[in-house]
Amino acid sequence: LICSCPTASKHTRPPLFHRHMGKDDVTGPSDSLTLDKTDSAAVPITTYTATGEEPPLSSAAAPPAAVSPSRHDDHVPEDRPDREVDHEAVDVEAASPRKKKVNFFDRLRGKSSGSDSSSSSSSSSSSSSSSSTTSSTSSSTKRRRGKGRKTAFHIQTREQILEEFNANAERGLTAAEVAARLEKYGRNEFKGSGGLNPWKILLGHVSNSLTVVLAIALILSAIAQEVIEVVVIAVIIIFNVSVGFFQEYRSEKTMDALKKMSSPKATVIRDGQKEVIDTGLVVPGDLVEIQEGDQVPADLRIIQATNLEIDEAMLTGESVPAIKTSEPRETLAEPLGDRVNMAYKNTIVTKGLGLCIVVGTGMDTEVGGIAELLAESSSKSEKTDLQRRLDKMGYVLFAFAVILGLVVLAVDKFRFTEGSLLYAISVGVAIIPEGLVAVMTVTMALGVRRMAGKNAIVRKLAALEALGSVTNICSDKTGTLTMGKMTTVNIWTPPQNTYTVSGAGIVPEGTISQDNVPVEPNNLPPALNMLLMSASLNNHSSLTFKEDGASWVSTGDPTEVALNVVARKIGIVKTDLEANARLEGELLFDATIKRMSVIYRLDEKSPLLQYVPRDGLLMLCKGAPERIVTACSFAMTNDGVIPMNDFMRSATADANASLASNGLRVLGLAWRSIPAFNEEMPRDSLETEMTLIGLVGIQDPPRQESADAVAECQKAGIHVHMLTGDHDTTARAIAVSVGILPKEDLRSSRSVLKHSGGFRPDAHLRPNHHHPMPLSKSQAHDWHVMTSHQLSKLTDEDLDGLSQLPLVVARCSPENKVQLVDAHHRRHHTVAMTGDGVNDAPSIRRADIGIAMGVGGSDVAKQAAHIVLMDDNFATIVVAVREGRRIFENIRKFAVHLMCCNLSQIIVLLVALAFRSADGVSIFPMSPLQILWLNLLTGSPPALALGVEEASKDIMTTPPRPKSEGLFTRLLLSDIFFFGTLKGVIVLCTWILMLYGVGNGTSDLHGECNEDGPIENKPQCELVYRARSVVFATFTLLILLLGYECRRLSKPLVMSNPFNNKYLNYATIFCVALAIPTIYIPWINDEVFRQTIIGWEWGIVVGAVVVYFVLCEIYKFIKYKKKVDLKYRNMKITELREVKIKPKKNKKGQQAQTQATVQPEQPTDVIPTSTTAVPPPTDVIPLPGPTTLTAPGPSTQDNDEPLPVL
């Protein structure tokens, strides 16, 4: 009986290390407890899953004598060649009563489900032996479609897989079986959301609240038979909808690429014959062959693998291809990246051959599950806060319009005359900002075009605005912060020579320097020259220059490409070397020994002969440093060959540790002269007594722009989080290099504790609450860096209790990314998620703003994203954030401008109700068409000019606006109230001045002045028509003047350059030129606008403009002075906070220090170094001349001694 509990798991999880070709795959603590085979035969295994209750104890079943953690080995241990997977993994997290295990896809949907292993548990509990347990596991875990995809194939043996799918490993499926399965499971295709739907996009724009309000105004105008108003409002609606629709339609059309994710052909074996078929015809149970360059056609279980490596970066984020085997795994709850016997749809084979069984097609693949999730969530509302607030504002304004209309009708005692209805409609039209939607749509569209010129495609117009409020960016590492290309950055040769390589990517440009002095390609140190030639020859990659595209193209394993490129930087080309060397044989890479070798026969002209003997064959070996060094008896220096004594082992171990501490993938290179070679010779007899050439440090380097981009984000108050599939050492190094973590982080994680204000990792835990996360040594004091295993063990309450969410998550899984996005949302953060792989798609969809990579990104990620970066450059995100902030700042400017116009019109129209004719009819100070003209043709052009206003200088030095902060803050509302009320009062004064100063007051008011008709037929209305012209002219100039005032709402116009916005200057000239003819052209002035020609009255208009300008400047000067005083006070407070405070001391006078509460993990392997100082060797064997070389002797150290793992 195995019972799992938090206490037991806390003490029985030693760290586990394994690596491929020197890559440090440091696996986190195992999630399972297993029985040794010798014990399982005597004690039946019973597995219980978590239900919140304790499992029943049986007195008949005694506990096993020994319980050992399961190891994630890539091969069958030599002492257990007959091992089978005869047990189920017990998920410690699932067995913990603290938290119920939640399926990943159910978690994304906000649901909770039990463990998928419950049915397996019930079956296995009735078994009486380990073999029966395995059988019940296979039979009870039925293959479920869609949301319930089975994920236990990696723990099943080859025989179990073949039995479950009724497949034959020799002949494959028959034609009848293929037809039946194709009918049952369907084609191997994604069933997405149905592609691009133009009607859905159109409906989204038609259902906009302000558009609905305008439609209602159009209907009321039609009822009142105001033809001109109906036409104008209809044009507004059509313009708003068409601009938004076509912009979004073009963006969606470019991103409608989900169905493009299909491999065109697949190689299958059916009826014993090999066939090449369309990928869509692959069915579960098919026998599929994959080889280098293939795109995996479906989810596969590998049953045979020969030197097979697959690039799974799109799913796991790993920049290095995964080395595949066919052996079953032991742990059920393994991350995708650790399931080395599985191949997943749409990943790329980079090396080797594989024979596989199809276990999932179409929507039943890992990629299909994510596509299904995106299709389900695509129907959810994706409106931003601004859109929701504008919708709310539209309905509120409509409600106010109805209320004001009722007020107008109430004043007229609800007589519903033509005049009262027309006046009510005019008031309703006045309060609705008809131009707001049009101006906002055009501003967004111009922002989209501007971003397209800066390598960003915006799929949703509102996404660009929402970027301005982003507080946290969760970014993938590979291809986003880094170049996505493995690059050699450091070289070490014995005894202590370190070289730095410049240049990044696959372009063979750069230098190799020692102590900042470039080495001469024609005068290379012997050891360095030998290392580069060995790296070039022991290599299967290719590097070619495409003349048509003027670019370099590489094929093969990324690590070998990096070795090829560094050799080419010095001018060493493999084809040149092979002209004097013939390949005699190859020892393929073996994951068990983590080495590979090639054997060459050299002719007399080979440059290698200056370092190696002429007789025999030359074997070149590369692999994991610890496996290379244990097989070496000598080391090559620039002066000759020396024995691999304690000094050299210590120096090699130090160099290995130094390179690894910087997050580099380390490879060792060695050579040996052998007399002969044939394929029957034991490998152990060949790869021994070799001569160490040196070590090579390789990494996926950061982009040059990433550090500056991260720094600008931090300056803008935006926190950058890196979520990567790489290990914590690599992740930490990259995070430090781009500025996400402080530089001291690599030297001491304690500095990060100080940086976070002395936060104790266990401060948030409840009393007697076991610590959920075993921390590594480098993380005992630093929760800025977490692994996927550590993060997964935290409940939502634990995560919310942290003072700050982790800045770096290593070995990150898709669930971790969604977990962090949700944690940010609970903290009311606005999150932007960037990524390129399929594994990023759920979190991209879940985030407030999803950003996908256009060049290296998967189509699923692009489909889920709001913004797609066409250059895959993290720095473009900063440009997008700047643009988003600029757009929102400009939206506020023209919103203030337009709302002030509406407020002033309402003041004038409502107060004008008191100006009644002798027959009791209220006289309009403005006609309905004048109101529409002012709102659209006079108010909109300056608002559009404000929409393209350049960003202020401090736009990226201010923190993001709070998520709860709407479009209108208290300060903006006060601005709207002041500017709008002041404008309305001044315009109303001109109306009163014309009626009472020029005319005789109400005696000159007549009811027919509200009706259509030429002024010649209504001479008694001349004064009213002239007064309307004054009101219209004053409104026009004040609206244009307010456009300049709104450029800097907190800075007087006289303190800045008011005319450096050329578009605003053009808009002013255009509006003035357009307004004057409406006053002076006959028929248009009186028949359409119900106004007439004015002359000396322009003096009243100019006086009103001067008064308005002076009062606005005084108001803004008061605001500006308060802002400067507040900034000065904040500077003083900052200076006081920067005063250093001495650390507190305890009673013994010692400085207090924060103690770790969790013991750090200890490595299972150690670097063998001498405990005493060993002097440098003096017994140097000279480098061989043309004919002589001292033959290697026996090794000075046991080759089985373990060497370092990082």
Side-chain angles (χ1 to χ4, degrees):
L1 176 68
I2 301 178
C3 297
S4 174
C5 67
T7 304
S9 64
K10 178 180 178 182
H11 299 289
T12 57
R13 293 184 175 187
L16 180 64
F17 299 86
H18 67 97
R19 71 181 63 175
H20 298 152
M21 281 187 67
K23 177 185 69 171
D24 286 0
D25 281 336
V26 183
T27 307
S30 173
D31 282 344
S32 65
L33 298 177
T34 62
L35 284 176
D36 193 291
K37 188 174 181 68
T38 57
D39 299 316
S40 60
V43 182
I45 300 178
T46 305
T47 304
Y48 295 95
T49 56
T51 59
E53 301 178 357
E54 294 185 2
L57 296 177
S58 173
S59 58
V67 178
S68 61
S70 64
R71 297 188 61 84
H72 298 202
D73 295 320
D74 293 333
H75 62 285
V76 179
E78 296 179 359
D79 58 340
R80 294 172 61 187
D82 58 341
R83 184 191 62 172
E84 294 182 359
V85 180
D86 55 4
H87 54 269
E88 284 190 39
V90 180
D91 194 329
V92 176
E93 181 67 15
S96 171
R98 291 196 309 114
K99 183 175 70 172
K100 186 177 181 180
K101 190 72 173 179
V102 180
N103 178 271
F104 170 46
F105 294 100
D106 289 337
R107 181 186 178 90
L108 294 183
R109 300 184 183 96
K111 301 176 182 180
S112 177
S113 65
S115 172
D116 286 343
S117 60
S118 57
S119 60
S120 302
S121 302
S122 60
S123 299
S124 60
S125 61
S126 61
S127 305
S128 59
S129 66
S130 60
S131 59
S132 63
T133 301
T134 304
S135 176
S136 64
T137 302
S138 174
S139 61
S140 63
T141 315
K142 296 182 179 179
R143 190 165 191 269
R144 295 176 293 276
R145 315 300 297 169
K147 304 177 184 178
R149 295 184 311 281
K150 177 184 173 182
T151 58
F153 300 116
H154 61 287
I155 66 172
Q156 292 181 319
T157 63
R158 165 193 169 111
E159 291 73 19
Q160 290 171 338
I161 289 290
L162 293 173
E163 179 182 357
E164 178 167 345
F165 287 92
N166 193 22
N168 189 297
E170 302 295 333
R171 299 184 56 82
L173 299 178
T174 64
E177 290 174 328
V178 170
R181 298 187 186 196
L182 191 61
E183 176 70 23
K184 179 180 179 180
Y185 298 113
R187 288 179 59 86
N188 180 28
E189 297 174 344
F190 293 145
K191 301 175 179 62
S193 56
L196 185 63
N197 189 343
W199 295 106
K200 184 178 180 180
I201 298 175
L202 181 63
L203 179 62
H205 288 277
V206 171
S207 60
N208 181 281
S209 63
L210 289 177
T211 303
V212 173
V213 172
L214 287 176
I216 296 174
L218 183 145
I219 295 173
L220 294 177
S221 299
I223 294 175
Q225 298 181 352
E226 294 292 330
V227 179
I228 297 178
E229 284 82 352
V230 170
V231 173
V232 172
I233 295 176
V235 170
I236 295 171
I237 294 175
I238 294 173
F239 176 77
N240 292 345
V241 173
S242 60
V243 170
F245 169 78
F246 285 111
Q247 178 61 49
E248 186 170 336
Y249 180 79
R250 283 198 299 267
S251 298
E252 285 297 310
K253 193 173 182 180
T254 61
M255 292 298 105
D256 187 28
L258 182 62
K259 292 186 177 180
K260 296 179 182 178
M261 285 196 66
S262 59
S263 176
K265 299 297 178 180
T267 302
V268 298
I269 298 177
R270 292 175 177 175
D271 290 321
Q273 300 294 324
K274 186 180 298 186
E275 302 177 15
V276 179
I277 63 171
D278 183 81
T279 304
L281 300 177
V282 173
V283 297
D286 253 330
L287 192 62
V288 176
E289 281 190 0
I290 55 176
Q291 59 183 342
E292 180 177 342
D294 287 349
Q295 189 179 54
V296 177
D299 279 6
L300 312 175
R301 170 62 163 87
I302 302 169
I303 59 176
Q304 290 181 17
T306 304
N307 203 24
L308 181 63
E309 296 185 13
I310 299 179
D311 183 359
E312 297 179 339
M314 60 178 293
L315 277 173
T316 65
E318 284 274 14
S319 57
V320 177
I323 299 174
K324 296 297 183 177
T325 69
S326 60
E327 296 299 326
R329 308 294 290 173
E330 292 186 349
T331 305
L332 176 63
E334 269 190 331
L336 294 183
D338 292 336
R339 300 178 185 179
V340 295
N341 55 13
M342 298 289 296
Y344 297 104
K345 183 176 175 63
N346 294 121
T347 56
I348 305 297
V349 181
T350 60
K351 183 189 292 186
L353 302 171
L355 185 65
C356 316
I357 294 292
V358 176
V359 296
T361 59
M363 301 302 290
D364 291 328
T365 61
E366 292 294 334
V367 178
I370 298 176
E372 179 185 19
L373 174 67
L374 300 181
E376 291 179 356
S377 61
S378 62
S379 60
K380 299 179 181 179
S381 174
E382 297 181 1
K383 290 186 176 181
T384 63
D385 289 337
L386 178 61
Q387 287 178 307
R388 289 188 288 266
R389 293 178 188 276
L390 286 178
D391 287 345
K392 185 177 180 179
M393 185 187 74
Y395 293 121
V396 170
L397 291 178
F398 175 72
F400 271 106
V402 173
I403 294 174
L404 293 178
L406 293 176
V407 170
V408 172
L409 294 176
V411 172
D412 200 35
K413 299 180 181 179
F414 294 99
R415 286 182 291 183
F416 297 101
T417 61
E418 181 180 352
S420 62
L421 286 175
L422 188 58
Y423 200 97
I425 293 174
S426 300
V427 174
V429 170
I431 197 175
I432 298 173
E434 296 90 349
L436 182 60
V437 176
V439 172
M440 186 170 298
T441 302
V442 172
T443 300
M444 292 288 189
L446 292 176
V448 169
R449 178 177 295 181
R450 185 167 173 167
M451 286 303 302
K454 298 179 180 180
N455 297 318
I457 293 179
V458 180
R459 297 182 58 214
K460 303 293 182 180
L461 289 177
L464 197 57
E465 159 267 322
L467 264 175
S469 63
V470 166
T471 59
N472 298 78
I473 298 177
C474 297
S475 174
D476 187 32
K477 177 188 74 70
T478 305
T480 308
L481 288 166
T482 63
M483 299 185 65
K485 301 290 185 181
M486 300 299 291
T487 304
T488 302
V489 294
N490 286 111
I491 297 173
W492 176 89
T493 61
Q496 293 177 341
N497 298 308
T498 302
Y499 302 91
T500 303
V501 184
S502 64
I506 64 172
V507 179
E509 297 177 356
T511 59
I512 301 178
S513 304
Q514 185 177 22
D515 298 328
N516 296 325
V517 178
V519 298
E520 294 294 335
N522 297 327
N523 189 25
L524 293 176
L528 177 62
N529 193 14
M530 181 65 185
L531 183 143
L532 295 176
M533 289 190 290
S534 174
S536 181
L537 278 175
N538 191 2
N539 201 307
H540 295 289
S541 67
S542 65
L543 187 66
T544 56
F545 184 75
K546 295 182 65 176
E547 296 292 346
D548 54 347
S551 61
W552 289 88
V553 178
S554 65
T555 58
D557 181 80
T559 301
E560 294 194 333
V561 171
L563 297 176
N564 197 344
V565 170
V566 71
R568 293 285 289 264
K569 289 179 180 180
I570 297 297
I572 298 176
V573 183
K574 181 180 180 180
T575 54
D576 296 341
L577 295 175
E578 287 183 332
N580 300 301
R582 185 175 73 251
L583 183 65
E584 294 289 332
E586 180 179 359
L587 303 178
L588 297 178
F589 177 79
D590 188 340
T592 62
I593 59 175
K594 299 170 185 175
R595 290 192 301 262
M596 67 168 294
S597 301
V598 291
I599 296 93
Y600 279 92
R601 183 179 297 277
L602 308 179
D603 63 21
E604 295 181 354
K605 296 182 180 180
S606 175
L608 289 165
L609 289 180
Q610 57 184 319
Y611 308 121
V612 301
R614 289 179 175 272
D615 300 333
L617 304 176
L618 174 64
M619 184 183 71
L620 301 174
C621 182
K622 73 171 183 282
E626 70 277 8
R627 301 303 178 92
I628 293 292
V629 174
T630 55
C632 287
S633 302
F634 301 91
M636 180 176 179
T637 70
N638 293 329
D639 299 323
V641 177
I642 63 176
M644 183 64 74
N645 55 20
D646 288 340
F647 171 80
M648 277 311 306
R649 292 185 183 277
S650 177
T652 306
D654 291 342
N656 189 16
S658 177
L659 293 174
S661 65
N662 290 318
L664 303 183
R665 180 186 181 189
V666 186
L667 290 181
L669 292 91
W671 66 270
R672 184 193 175 193
S673 178
I674 57 177
F677 170 78
N678 63 72
E679 295 181 355
E680 304 298 328
M681 298 178 66
R683 184 165 187 165
D684 292 343
S685 65
L686 295 173
E687 293 179 336
T688 184
E689 297 184 359
M690 295 188 296
T691 300
L692 176 68
I693 309 174
L695 305 177
V696 177
I698 303 173
Q699 73 169 180
D700 179 12
R703 292 178 178 269
Q704 295 180 352
E705 308 88 352
S706 293
D708 293 337
V710 171
E712 190 166 359
C713 286
Q714 293 170 344
K715 189 177 180 181
I718 300 172
H719 297 281
V720 181
H721 304 257
M722 188 176 77
L723 315 179
T724 175
D726 283 332
H727 299 287
D728 53 353
T729 304
T730 303
R732 186 187 295 270
I734 295 296
V736 169
S737 64
V738 300
I740 295 177
L741 294 177
K743 292 183 179 179
E744 294 80 5
D745 188 80
L746 282 180
R747 297 193 295 267
S748 173
S749 61
R750 295 178 185 269
S751 62
V752 183
L753 179 64
K754 178 180 179 182
H755 177 72
S756 62
F759 167 67
R760 288 178 58 88
D762 57 341
H764 72 288
L765 299 178
R766 297 182 294 272
N768 299 325
H769 188 242
H770 290 293
H771 202 293
M773 305 168 56
L775 300 179
S776 66
K777 183 176 181 179
S778 63
Q779 296 171 337
H781 299 276
D782 174 18
W783 278 33
H784 283 75
V785 180
M786 287 187 183
T787 64
S788 172
H789 177 76
Q790 294 169 349
L791 185 61
S792 299
K793 296 304 179 183
L794 290 179
T795 63
D796 291 344
E797 293 77 11
D798 294 334
L799 206 54
D800 294 340
L802 297 176
S803 63
Q804 182 179 348
L805 294 176
L807 296 177
V808 177
V809 178
R811 305 296 289 165
C812 189
S813 66
E815 184 176 12
N816 295 140
K817 296 184 178 183
V818 176
Q819 183 183 7
L820 276 180
V821 171
D822 290 342
H824 281 295
H825 286 164
R826 291 193 300 272
R827 295 176 182 234
H828 307 289
H829 295 166
T830 302
V831 186
M833 173 66 196
T834 71
D836 53 2
V838 175
N839 61 332
D840 297 324
S843 50
I844 287 176
R845 174 73 73 177
R846 193 68 161 255
D848 299 281
I849 298 296
I851 306 172
M853 303 298 115
V855 177
S858 64
D859 292 326
V860 171
K862 298 174 189 177
Q863 183 74 13
H866 303 88
I867 298 175
V868 179
L869 305 182
M870 299 310 299
D871 58 355
D872 288 11
N873 197 336
F874 183 84
T876 307
I877 299 175
V878 180
V879 177
V881 171
R882 177 188 292 273
E883 187 69 13
R885 290 191 174 192
R886 184 193 69 84
I887 285 179
F888 193 82
E889 186 180 68
N890 291 344
I891 287 175
R892 280 181 164 173
K893 291 176 182 179
F894 66 67
V896 169
H897 180 266
L898 293 176
M899 295 304 295
C900 286
C901 297
N902 293 105
L903 177 59
S904 58
Q905 290 174 10
I906 291 298
I907 292 175
V908 172
L909 291 176
L910 288 182
V911 176
L913 288 173
F915 299 92
R916 306 171 69 88
S917 62
D919 53 357
V921 178
S922 297
I923 304 302
F924 304 160
M926 292 184 294
S927 66
L929 189 57
Q930 280 181 319
I931 296 172
L932 286 174
W933 183 279
L934 291 174
N935 286 352
L936 294 175
L937 297 182
T938 303
S940 295
L944 284 173
L946 291 174
V948 296
E949 181 81 20
E950 291 298 326
S952 58
K953 294 181 179 179
D954 61 344
I955 195 168
M956 290 300 288
T957 59
T958 56
R961 68 179 186 275
K963 196 171 184 179
S964 58
E965 181 178 293
L967 181 62
F968 300 108
T969 62
R970 290 185 178 182
L971 185 59
L972 286 181
L973 290 176
S974 66
D975 291 340
I976 293 173
F977 177 79
F978 178 82
F979 293 130
T981 303
L982 180 61
K983 185 194 297 185
V985 170
I986 290 177
V987 172
L988 190 61
C989 289
T990 61
W991 170 257
I992 296 174
L993 183 61
M994 287 297 297
L995 292 182
Y996 289 91
V998 179
N1000 298 318
T1002 57
S1003 60
D1004 289 330
L1005 302 178
H1006 304 279
E1008 54 269 20
C1009 296
N1010 290 339
E1011 300 174 359
D1012 296 333
I1015 189 65
E1016 293 82 5
N1017 299 336
K1018 299 180 289 184
Q1020 69 276 17
C1021 294
E1022 182 180 359
L1023 180 64
V1024 174
Y1025 274 39
R1026 288 166 56 197
R1028 285 177 180 164
S1029 296
V1030 171
V1031 169
F1032 180 74
T1034 304
F1035 253 130
T1036 298
L1037 295 183
L1038 293 186
I1039 288 173
L1040 298 177
L1041 175 60
L1042 183 60
Y1044 287 94
E1045 295 287 352
C1046 287
R1047 291 188 62 206
R1048 300 290 183 267
L1049 290 171
S1050 298
K1051 188 175 183 179
L1053 194 61
V1054 296
M1055 298 179 66
S1056 60
N1057 185 358
F1059 303 111
N1060 59 356
N1061 186 339
K1062 62 180 181 179
Y1063 300 105
L1064 186 56
N1065 298 334
Y1066 297 155
T1068 301
I1069 297 173
F1070 171 77
C1071 292
V1072 171
L1074 204 61
I1076 290 179
T1078 65
I1079 299 177
Y1080 291 97
I1081 296 178
W1083 186 82
I1084 292 180
N1085 56 4
D1086 56 355
E1087 289 278 358
V1088 179
F1089 285 88
R1090 300 173 194 177
Q1091 60 187 9
T1092 191
I1093 299 173
I1094 58 175
W1096 64 266
E1097 292 87 353
W1098 280 104
I1100 299 176
V1101 176
V1102 173
V1105 172
V1106 172
V1107 172
Y1108 186 72
F1109 173 75
V1110 172
L1111 294 179
C1112 286
E1113 289 295 286
I1114 293 175
Y1115 170 75
K1116 292 173 66 177
F1117 180 79
I1118 295 173
K1119 288 176 57 180
Y1120 178 75
K1121 191 174 185 304
K1122 288 183 177 180
K1123 181 179 180 180
V1124 172
D1125 292 343
L1126 180 61
K1127 183 177 181 180
Y1128 177 77
R1129 289 198 299 269
N1130 290 339
M1131 290 174 60
K1132 286 294 185 181
I1133 294 173
T1134 303
E1135 291 175 0
L1136 291 175
R1137 288 176 176 173
E1138 290 178 351
V1139 175
K1140 293 183 179 180
I1141 302 175
K1142 294 182 179 180
K1144 295 182 179 181
K1145 295 185 177 181
N1146 54 26
K1147 295 180 180 180
K1148 297 182 179 180
Q1150 298 175 345
Q1151 183 174 331
Q1153 296 180 352
T1154 303
Q1155 299 295 330
T1157 58
V1158 181
Q1159 293 295 329
E1161 297 177 354
Q1162 299 295 334
T1164 56
D1165 298 323
V1166 296
I1167 300 176
T1169 59
S1170 177
T1171 57
T1172 60
V1174 180
T1178 58
D1179 49 343
V1180 178
I1181 302 175
L1183 289 175
T1187 58
T1188 62
L1189 175 69
T1190 303
S1195 175
T1196 59
Q1197 184 170 341
D1198 186 2
N1199 287 343
D1200 294 331
E1201 181 178 349
L1203 269 181
V1205 289
L1206 309 179

